[in-house]
Amino acid sequence: MHRSQDTSRTSSTTKRNQRRALSGILSQGMGLLIYAALVGCFLASASAQEKLAATPPMGWNSWNHFAERIDDKMVRETADALVSTGLKDAGYIYLNIDDTWEGDRDGNGVIHPNAKFPDMKALADYVHSRGLKLGIYSSPGPKTCAGFEGSLGHEVQDAQTYAQWGIDYLKYDWCQQPPSSVEQMKAAYTKMHDALTKTGHAIVLSLCQYGWNRVWEWGPSVGGNLWRTTGDISDRYSVMAEIGFNQNGLEKFAGPGHWNDPDMLEVGNGGMNEDEYRTHFSLWAILAAPLIAGNDLTKMTPYTVEILTNREVIAVDQDPAGKQGFRVAQEGPFEVWLKPTADGSKVVGLFNRQRTVEQMTVNFSQIGIPAEASIRDLWLKKDLGTFKNKYNAYVPAHGVVLIRIKSK
Ligand code: GLA
């Protein structure tokens, strides 16, 4: 009796153990399945993010030149100018309306444009008919930087409205006073990213919070395709240079789908000379920075068009390897920067930050090139020949010599 009781207890314990083991295996299996599904989702969204901005976004934004002086008419004129000047063919696809388009919310909380933009959907249709994409601007706070209606509490609704209009790009500008914790920022950007994703419409997400809280470390994880790394640029050499040359060290955070953004271009706005604008454009190309023009496209000098549409420099920026360049040498105001490109060549910028023309040298040993290499000047658009061990050039004041070096 005792024995049989024992035996039956033993056998029921064994069964229980077997059941436990089985349910353990099953729950482990479920766990693995869930894990695989989550990884799958993450990879799918990572690749969606990558596809959306495989190379740094290119386009135009209204803020740097026009600020609040924007309306439907000037956006249409800019769309026409993007096409007629050849900028669109050179890759400038996004036409981005910055702050001051926002009107009031209706009784249902739906945002409407103000009187400057009578019909945003019709405007988007027009921009699309020119083969371009339309971008818009908002803020995660109650107000935008210029004091207009922000998206706080209306994220899902706003994302849906943008998608209904046919918006393709959103600059989401923090506009609230510091200190803001990194958690607050991540939550706010994730909320909008999720809302945009839910619309099913591909919308590039541009984070703008001026590089606070080391955004480059978490920008991709909240769905950012690009994130501002600095405060606002202005149309002065000192400000542009301060921002551009300070990007060194951030190169490991950029890559296809997610880019450091040292702010929009000032080329053509009149505050710098030709050499300074070439420096600006070359540096942004080496940095694999978004190329978002910020000038009046209906009134460009030939040299502004020449700079903005230099295909060889644009190709440096848009290189498919997506590697952000970095500084390889500095001696006071003389800086040598390098960007390795997909074809194995090295693009080098010799930057002279001094006010006088100076001779500069790049030693091939500094950039990993064996003794002999052929060199092409990307602003002269000219092959310079074959060189041994180094290359010397006179670099204009505040200017640049930008070369592509191919080892022999
Ligand atoms: C901030 C941004 C600018 C611009 C303005 C608009 O200053 O950094 O690029 O968007 O807001 O108010």
Side-chain angles (χ1 to χ4, degrees):
M1 176 77 172
H2 273 290
R3 194 181 294 149
S4 89
Q5 264 184 352
D6 270 350
T7 320
S8 80
R9 204 179 296 139
T10 315
S11 83
S12 77
T13 310
T14 313
K15 272 186 193 144
R16 231 184 358 254
N17 286 343
Q18 280 170 347
R19 269 202 306 273
R20 263 193 210 134
L22 188 64
S23 86
I25 289 169
L26 281 175
S27 77
Q28 250 181 27
M30 278 302 282
L32 274 175
L33 273 177
I34 291 170
Y35 176 73
L38 285 176
V39 169
C41 278
F42 175 75
L43 288 179
S45 84
S47 80
Q49 185 181 33
E50 196 173 314
K51 264 197 219 133
L52 202 48
T55 58
M58 288 179 68
W60 179 90
N61 173 293
S62 54
W63 188 256
N64 282 358
H65 184 82
F66 293 95
E68 73 290 346
R69 301 180 314 277
I70 53 170
D71 58 21
D72 180 280
K73 180 169 172 280
M74 71 77 57
V75 171
R76 285 170 194 256
E77 282 168 5
T78 300
D80 295 346
L82 275 163
V83 177
S84 65
T85 57
L87 260 74
K88 182 199 143 205
D89 285 344
Y92 297 84
I93 292 298
Y94 290 98
L95 194 175
N96 296 344
I97 301 172
D98 207 280
D99 205 352
T100 81
W101 65 267
E102 308 88 341
D104 297 324
R105 294 188 182 278
D106 63 23
N108 296 321
V110 175
I111 184 92
H112 292 271
N114 56 39
K116 297 189 289 184
F117 294 92
D119 188 341
M120 204 56 102
K121 168 93 178 69
L123 181 56
D125 289 346
Y126 183 77
V127 169
H128 291 151
S129 77
R130 311 296 336 243
L132 300 162
K133 292 175 186 278
L134 187 63
I136 212 159
Y137 168 102
S138 190
S139 165
K143 293 281 172 216
T144 67
C145 294
F148 288 72
E149 183 72 18
S151 289
L152 184 66
H154 295 275
E155 293 83 358
V156 171
Q157 218 169 15
D158 285 0
Q160 280 163 359
T161 303
Y162 303 153
Q164 277 159 18
W165 287 340
I167 297 293
D168 309 290
Y169 184 117
L170 172 67
K171 173 172 166 184
Y172 207 39
D173 192 358
W174 191 250
C175 298
Q176 294 162 83
Q177 288 312 304
S180 306
S181 74
V182 68
E183 283 73 28
Q184 274 175 300
M185 288 190 162
K186 283 185 187 174
Y189 282 111
T190 303
K191 198 179 240 177
M192 184 47 95
H193 171 251
D194 291 350
L196 293 174
T197 307
K198 230 182 266 160
T199 67
H201 188 75
I203 300 179
V204 170
L205 178 58
S206 156
L207 314 187
C208 180
Q209 45 78 285
Y210 339 111
W212 289 341
N213 292 322
R214 304 172 69 81
V215 60
W216 40 86
E217 289 179 351
W218 49 268
S221 72
V222 299
N225 295 111
L226 59 156
W227 48 82
R228 280 271 295 278
T229 55
T230 75
D232 288 12
I233 197 169
S234 66
D235 189 21
R236 281 162 45 210
Y237 176 80
S238 58
V239 177
M240 179 280 294
E242 169 85 12
I243 288 178
F245 291 111
N246 273 341
Q247 299 300 301
N248 191 49
L250 295 186
E251 58 277 2
K252 58 177 172 291
F253 301 104
H258 54 278
W259 307 100
N260 288 310
D261 173 12
D263 208 358
M264 304 170 293
L265 298 169
E266 291 283 6
V267 176
N269 277 333
M272 295 183 232
N273 66 33
E274 286 182 39
D275 286 318
E276 293 170 335
Y277 281 139
R278 266 186 217 110
T279 293
H280 183 12
F281 202 70
S282 305
L283 190 49
W284 263 235
I286 285 183
L287 292 170
L291 295 180
I292 308 291
N295 56 317
D296 182 350
L297 301 185
T298 65
K299 296 185 185 76
M300 288 196 281
T301 60
Y303 85 76
T304 297
V305 178
E306 209 268 323
I307 292 175
L308 288 174
T309 59
N310 183 322
R311 305 283 175 128
E312 297 192 41
V313 182
I314 291 173
V316 174
D317 181 80
Q318 296 288 302
D319 185 72
K323 291 198 175 129
Q324 177 172 327
F326 48 91
R327 182 163 49 223
V328 289
Q330 178 174 20
E331 231 183 277
F334 308 118
E335 301 198 16
V336 180
W337 284 64
L338 164 67
K339 177 172 167 153
T341 55
D343 68 351
S345 60
K346 318 262 180 165
V347 173
V348 166
L350 301 169
F351 293 98
N352 172 12
R353 297 178 67 177
Q354 195 160 272
R355 285 170 186 276
T356 48
V357 62
E358 294 290 337
Q359 197 180 37
M360 288 183 65
T361 301
V362 52
N363 293 310
F364 293 171
S365 60
Q366 290 172 318
I367 55 168
I369 294 257
E372 245 185 31
S374 63
I375 297 187
R376 179 169 175 82
D377 188 304
L378 303 186
W379 285 112
L380 297 176
K381 300 179 184 164
K382 191 173 153 204
D383 289 326
L384 302 176
T386 300
F387 294 80
K388 256 192 170 171
N389 301 326
K390 63 180 182 177
Y391 177 69
N392 294 318
Y394 282 99
V395 186
H398 286 182
V400 62
V401 167
L402 190 68
I403 50 183
R404 192 183 272 275
I405 309 184
K406 262 195 184 146
S407 104
K408 283 266 175 189

